[in-house]
Amino acid sequence: MDLSNLNKEQREAVITTKGPLLILAGAGSGKTKTLTSRIAYLLEEEKVSPYEILAITFTNKAAGEMKERIIDLVGFAGEKIWAGTFHSMCLRILRMEIEEIGYKPNFVIYDETDQQSLLKQILKEQNLDEKSFPPRLVANTISNFKNELLDPKGAKRYINGDFIMEKNVELYEIYQEKLKQNNAVDFDDIIMLTVQLFKANSEILSKYQNRFRYIFVDEYQDTNHAQYTLIKLLAAKHRNICVVGDDDQSIYRWRGADIQNILNFEKDYPDAKIVKLEQNYRSTQAILDAAYSVIKFNSERKDKRLWTDKKGGELIDYFTALDEEEEAFFVSREIKKRVVSGENTFADFAVLCRTTAQFRVIEENFIKNGIKYQIFGGMKFYSRKEIKDVLAYLKAIANPDDRISLARAISTPKRGIGEASWNKVNQYADENNIPITLALLDAAAASVGAKAGKAMVEFAEKMVEFQALSAEIPLHLLLETVLEQSGYMQMLNEEKDVEAMSKKENLEEFFSIVTAFDRDHEPSAENLSHFLAEVALYTDLDNLNDKENTVTIMTMHGAKGLEFPIVFIVGMEENIFPHARSIASMAESEMEEERRLCYVALTRAKEKVILSRSLAHMLYGRTNRNMPSRFLGEIPANLLNDLSYRKKQNSFSTSNGLSHKPIQPQNMDKAEKFNIGDKVAHNKWGIGVVVGIKGAGDDLEYKVAFPEQGIKTLIAKYAPIKRA
């Protein structure tokens, strides 16, 4: 096999085929190329069967790209390896083996909305107030337990006399019982139940240990305790485990990722070989130097320094705006200037934010200035009400025990079935230990009123018909039948408003997805479950369209694994980035995670990084004056180029037609002083009244009430106001 296209370290990783291997792959160092070449080497040179290779990634998109590259290298054999996410791999195992732990193979996966519905139902049954036990917080607590592989019994040791924790554990126990009753699992169960299965049945574990003699795990720094345990179990027999990752890019601590998994790899495998990939093929040296100057302040890391053949590169631009609106205008101006000149297209740019709350002002400015964009991190397609409605029907068809989906389907459209009637049927099913569908068909015996009972029987009969059809007709025809015969399309047709039109368009898009699935799958009840599993494991990034000519707006967390020619990082201020929560925690581990996030954001750029901050920033309805981000101070001055027109008045231009006027600073010695009650004129917001004064000198602030804008806090030193 020709390895001449690999560098020395990459080749070393590829030909190391036996035993534990840790590949420390810095950002943009060709880790996917190395990983796929190593798999191809095993197939071509070591004659390993593709059925014995398991490759795990964190997104479906990454798994698909990996498989395509392997097929390009070795042909059809690449089709036969298992390549997917942790959840997709575990789901395949559970579909075949879950009966061993008391579930049926046609189980459904509950998403966040389904979880909330089930928890609300439980809270009501337990007479607990949702304000005291918010379902979202209870769900997070349960998720944390599962990520640590703690079942309700194991979670009890964390009560320690805490009443709230005691109730959370009780709710967890009831929640798990209800899930099993509904033949449902949640997202965290998929891995936890697989681990439980392996620990409970040594024969099944041995089967998969022998099946996967060679295991690859990408993004190992992002694994949580459950994922770590799963891999350790699978690799225990043959120990041919290759993990690829970068501790400097471990940014998911808030969802359970444990950086110690990669830092302690040699402790788990004392005979492990370590290969560092430090040659970067993405960014300029200036960008890499800036990123290293930030990350080197972290103590929990394995030392490595990225370098590139691309010497030099443009300096890191840095801009200080008066407020977040001017900051957004600056981003628009820079993008449009480069696009109008022909240097770049919109697709070359990404705007990275610490939080989704920063999206609004950027989006508004882009709309105003005709800049095409796409946002990642907003409402996902599968989270829309109409999509969740039809998915509820499909879930209930695939799994008639799923009471949460049945409850949603039976109430949409409205059929005159109230909550009391639904509860009676549920109670009847529990008392007689019969499936909920049979209870619906026997609604009269459940003491349900005549009108509601008739509607229940009609609904149940339709669902039984749909279940029979699911094994006989393609999924798109089943969906069409369900929408028509359930009355759902009639409900939308009767609404006759813009929102209903939008819902229909989304359903048409869903039809396209279902039709595409049908091209590769024959009609069967099993394939309906397979489709629902694909949908449940779908992530927003799987839909990232890098072919569209649009600017990408996303969070720094969402940008991991991506690259763009030019990257804007906005909100470089204390309390925004690093986040106020991390500062308030006083924990060094929290600040190190923020610093890693900065490293990730910087290394998304191939050619250019542009940083910006505001002197006054309104976020979550409050205006604050934040200090510059500490990360700015960690980048050497010789790598920064200050674009602030306050220092370089001549460099500011509005010749590209953007709808904004520059705000010029006032000289404090000559600036007019105002008192409470004075009327002032602002060149953007019009006439206002001074309603508050705070501070003195450079820190003097005016609170001014404007008729349309509300109360604004203006820094006197820079405020573009004069007496009206």
Side-chain angles (χ1 to χ4, degrees), residues 65-133:
E65 289 173 357
M66 181 190 293
K67 206 156 189 177
E68 283 175 16
R69 288 207 204 184
I70 295 167
I71 292 168
D72 287 343
L73 289 169
V74 299
F76 180 67
E79 284 275 8
K80 300 173 185 175
I81 69 166
W82 270 37
T85 63
F86 274 101
H87 290 90
S88 65
M89 182 264 290
C90 289
L91 197 58
R92 286 178 72 176
I93 293 171
L94 290 176
R95 287 283 179 217
M96 293 183 278
E97 316 287 357
I98 201 167
E99 286 178 287
E100 288 289 327
I101 51 175
Y103 289 79
K104 299 174 190 172
N106 66 332
F107 64 88
V108 293
I109 303 168
Y110 277 4
D111 61 15
E112 287 181 19
T113 306
D114 300 325
Q115 283 180 281
Q116 303 292 308
S117 298
L118 182 55
L119 283 169
K120 286 176 181 178
Q121 175 190 316
I122 294 168
L123 288 168
K124 194 167 186 179
E125 290 172 0
Q126 298 297 309
N127 293 316
L128 292 173
D129 184 11
E130 284 187 28
K131 291 180 180 176
S132 301
F133 296 91

Side-chain angles (χ1 to χ4, degrees), residues 23 122 156 216 262 311 316 476 549 564 704 708 722:
I23 302 175
I122 294 168
K156 285 179 181 176
F216 293 74
I262 192 168
K311 299 302 179 188
I316 310 295
H476 74 279
N549 185 23
F564 304 89
V704 182
E708 294 184 5
K722 59 185 178 181

Side-chain angles (χ1 to χ4, degrees), residues 613-721:
R613 63 174 284 256
S614 302
L615 293 172
H617 205 128
M618 177 176 278
L619 202 61
Y620 309 114
R622 295 179 61 186
T623 299
N624 294 298
R625 293 187 65 189
N626 298 315
M627 296 294 290
S629 169
R630 66 192 68 191
F631 305 142
L632 280 170
E634 292 170 357
I635 300 175
N638 66 311
L639 291 176
L640 292 172
N641 174 39
D642 193 345
L643 292 181
S644 175
Y645 59 79
R646 295 180 182 82
K647 291 188 176 180
K648 300 179 180 181
Q649 299 281 336
N650 296 333
S651 69
F652 188 81
S653 169
T654 55
S655 58
N656 50 29
L658 293 174
S659 57
H660 189 93
K661 292 182 180 178
I663 302 171
Q664 302 295 342
Q666 300 184 72
N667 184 315
M668 275 302 297
D669 295 330
K670 298 177 182 177
E672 193 171 2
K673 302 294 192 297
F674 304 106
N675 297 310
I676 291 177
D678 286 351
K679 284 189 176 181
V680 294
H682 188 282
N683 63 5
K684 188 163 102 177
W685 297 324
I687 305 296
V689 177
V690 177
V691 295
I693 302 172
K694 180 182 175 184
D698 286 357
D699 295 324
L700 180 62
E701 294 178 358
Y702 292 118
K703 286 190 182 294
V704 182
F706 295 96
E708 294 184 5
Q709 301 292 333
I711 297 175
K712 295 281 188 180
T713 300
L714 303 173
I715 303 166
K717 184 175 181 179
Y718 299 107
I721 54 176

Side-chain angles (χ1 to χ4, degrees), residues 309-323:
D309 286 336
K310 302 178 189 175
K311 299 302 179 188
E314 290 188 56
L315 295 178
I316 310 295
D317 283 347
Y318 168 49
F319 180 76
T320 302
L322 177 67
D323 57 21

Side-chain angles (χ1 to χ4, degrees), residues 438-642:
L438 287 180
L440 287 168
L441 289 168
D442 199 14
S447 302
V448 174
K451 185 179 177 183
K454 183 172 181 289
M456 282 181 169
V457 171
E458 289 175 355
F459 172 79
E461 287 174 344
K462 278 293 174 194
M463 293 301 291
V464 170
E465 286 178 28
F466 296 154
Q467 285 154 18
L469 283 173
S470 70
E472 299 171 3
I473 63 176
L475 191 48
H476 74 279
L477 291 180
L478 175 67
L479 180 61
E480 189 176 329
T481 304
V482 168
L483 288 173
E484 289 298 332
Q485 295 190 15
S486 68
Y488 196 90
M489 285 307 296
Q490 182 182 340
M491 175 188 75
L492 290 185
N493 290 333
E494 288 172 356
E495 287 180 8
K496 293 180 180 177
D497 57 14
V498 175
E499 189 177 354
M501 286 295 296
S502 176
K503 288 178 180 178
K504 287 180 187 176
E505 288 169 2
N506 287 330
L507 287 175
E508 286 172 9
E509 175 63 21
F510 188 60
F511 262 107
S512 301
I513 294 166
V514 170
T515 304
F517 179 86
D518 280 336
R519 290 193 198 109
D520 300 321
H521 299 84
E522 293 296 322
S524 73
E526 290 78 15
N527 278 333
L528 172 56
S529 294
H530 179 44
F531 172 77
L532 291 169
E534 277 192 8
V535 169
L537 300 183
Y538 180 91
T539 68
D540 201 22
L541 280 178
D542 294 328
N543 196 37
L544 177 61
N545 190 339
D546 49 14
K547 294 185 176 70
E548 283 190 22
N549 185 23
T550 56
V551 178
T552 299
I553 304 172
M554 66 196 322
T555 64
M556 298 166 191
H557 285 99
K560 187 168 174 295
L562 304 177
E563 59 181 40
F564 304 89
I566 301 173
V567 169
F568 289 86
I569 305 175
V570 299
M572 293 293 293
E573 305 157 35
E574 294 286 294
N575 296 315
I576 294 179
F577 188 43
H579 197 281
R581 188 171 52 245
S582 298
I583 295 172
S585 76
M586 303 291 286
E588 188 57 33
S589 58
E590 292 275 355
M591 193 51 63
E592 291 209 356
E593 178 112 344
E594 291 288 300
R595 193 172 277 109
R596 290 193 291 270
L597 192 55
C598 185
Y599 176 85
V600 167
L602 288 166
T603 54
R604 297 313 91 201
K606 299 199 296 193
E607 301 164 9
K608 183 80 177 169
V609 172
I610 304 172
L611 309 173
S612 62
R613 63 174 284 256
S614 302
L615 293 172
H617 205 128
M618 177 176 278
L619 202 61
Y620 309 114
R622 295 179 61 186
T623 299
N624 294 298
R625 293 187 65 189
N626 298 315
M627 296 294 290
S629 169
R630 66 192 68 191
F631 305 142
L632 280 170
E634 292 170 357
I635 300 175
N638 66 311
L639 291 176
L640 292 172
N641 174 39
D642 193 345

Side-chain angles (χ1 to χ4, degrees), residues 8-22:
K8 179 187 171 186
E9 291 74 23
Q10 290 172 333
R11 283 197 298 274
E12 185 181 4
V14 167
I15 64 175
T16 303
T17 59
K18 299 295 183 185
L21 172 65
L22 168 60

